[in-house]
Amino acid sequence: MELPPPGTDLHRLMTRFPRAGQVQWIGLRPARDVPMREVGSAQASAGGGLAGDRYNGGSGKRGVTLIQAEHLPAIAALAGHEEIVPATLRRNLVVSGIALIALKGNRFRIGDVLLEGTVACDPCSRMEVALGAGGYNALRGMGGLCARILEGGELRLGDAVEWVGA
């Protein structure tokens, strides 16, 4: 959603965050249909993706995929699981403490890396296998966010996630 004009109440509401978020988990997808590899840090390339990830060098709008840590228990409950490990959902970053949907269409920093939220990261048909029957629908609305990498650098566990602007 595009930000309303500065000085309006809605602009003020949409640009105020209670606190910075934090990176809780980082994973790389080395190739299609192979398990994700959990890492402590990853190198992000401007206009590309993460080194070692299958999407590196591909479409800039999907340079990094993020999912909300707070949604993992809800997805698990809807899919009939006690818990879900992040690698199951095949997103690069699990982030807590900041509403990812509020970053869509906006710029934000994770450590030294500047990103721009592009589109919702909708579930794919693989979730039916990963989560069981109905897994696709269990993830709908909570699939996270895709982001374009505007300035590269290293992403690390524990890095702050902070809104920068539109």
Side-chain angles (χ1 to χ4, degrees), residues 13-22 66-71 95-108 117 141 144-145 161-163:
L13 291 171
M14 290 178 69
T15 59
R16 187 183 332 175
F17 292 83
R19 65 180 186 268
Q22 185 178 50
L66 304 94
I67 194 163
Q68 190 84 46
E70 292 83 356
H71 288 172
V95 172
S96 66
I98 192 167
L100 286 176
I101 195 63
L103 300 176
K104 183 179 174 190
N106 289 283
R107 293 178 176 199
F108 57 100
L145 181 70
V161 180
E162 299 177 288
W163 178 83

Side-chain angles (χ1 to χ4, degrees), residues 19-150:
R19 65 180 186 268
Q22 185 178 50
V23 175
Q24 300 292 321
W25 186 88
I26 302 172
L28 302 173
R29 301 162 296 215
R32 184 177 175 86
D33 296 329
V34 300
M36 288 197 76
R37 187 168 56 93
E38 184 176 352
V39 296
S41 65
Q43 191 65 36
S45 301
L50 302 179
D53 191 77
R54 78 185 209 104
Y55 285 105
N56 188 25
S59 168
K61 76 176 187 174
R62 193 183 169 96
V64 178
T65 56
L66 304 94
I67 194 163
Q68 190 84 46
E70 292 83 356
H71 288 172
L72 296 181
I75 295 165
L78 292 170
H81 297 280
E82 281 191 37
E83 70 176 327
I84 294 176
V85 296
T88 304
L89 303 177
R90 303 190 63 74
R91 304 302 188 258
N92 296 120
L93 305 176
V94 176
V95 172
S96 66
I98 192 167
L100 286 176
I101 195 63
L103 300 176
K104 183 179 174 190
N106 289 283
R107 293 178 176 199
F108 57 100
R109 280 206 181 275
I110 299 180
D112 296 329
V113 179
L114 180 64
L115 302 117
E116 180 180 48
T118 55
V119 296
C121 194
D122 294 324
C124 68
S125 61
R126 292 191 53 157
M127 293 302 106
E128 286 292 304
V129 174
L131 299 174
Y136 176 90
N137 278 325
L139 194 57
R140 283 179 68 188
M142 294 184 282
L145 181 70
C146 296
R148 175 181 295 119
I149 302 167
L150 301 176

